[in-house]
Amino acid sequence: MTNTLPDIMGGLLLVAGAAFLLLGSLGLVRMPDLYNRIQAGTKATTLGTLLTLAGTAFLQPSWSLKLLLIGLFILLTNPISSQVMARAAHRMGIEKSLLNRVDHLADDTGEKP
């Protein structure tokens, strides 16, 4: 069994994607408040999923177009949905951690949680 360059690249991208997904899940546990958890989960899972899709594209080139469309969908929806969730939580008055000293959203919109 010979390892070709696409197989090696695919495996490395899959491992990197899995590592980012693991770090994102650790961020969900370790971050102090909802807003930091949303940020950690969104950034890490977006990058981890995109790396996993890229690794799969290297291993299964015939799936590349479908994987590209899935990646574009994730790239567009993950950040927008996390922003909407954070804004809704802010409007509901969910408390932020005492470690967060600045509330730029309240400053920009005049909203007070």
Side-chain angles (χ1 to χ4, degrees), residues 16-82:
F20 272 97
L21 291 169
L22 175 66
L23 291 173
S25 65
L26 288 175
L28 291 175
V29 175
R30 299 205 32 122
M31 291 295 168
D33 63 0
L34 174 78
Y35 305 105
N36 288 315
R37 289 182 188 132
I38 288 174
Q39 184 266 347
T42 301
K43 287 188 178 189
T45 57
T46 300
L47 183 58
T49 304
L50 292 176
L51 287 173
T52 303
L53 291 172
T56 305
F58 271 99
L59 296 174
Q60 296 292 329
S62 62
W63 298 356
S64 294
L65 181 61
K66 293 174 187 173
L67 295 171
L68 177 67
L69 292 174
I70 293 169
L72 286 173
F73 180 75
I74 289 171
L75 192 60
L76 293 173
T77 58
N78 268 0
I80 293 170
S81 63
S82 69

Side-chain angles (χ1 to χ4, degrees), residues 2-18 48 50-61:
T2 61
N3 287 335
T4 62
L5 184 61
D7 291 338
I8 293 171
M9 286 297 297
L12 289 175
L13 287 170
L14 286 173
V15 169
L50 292 176
L51 287 173
T52 303
L53 291 172
T56 305
F58 271 99
L59 296 174
Q60 296 292 329

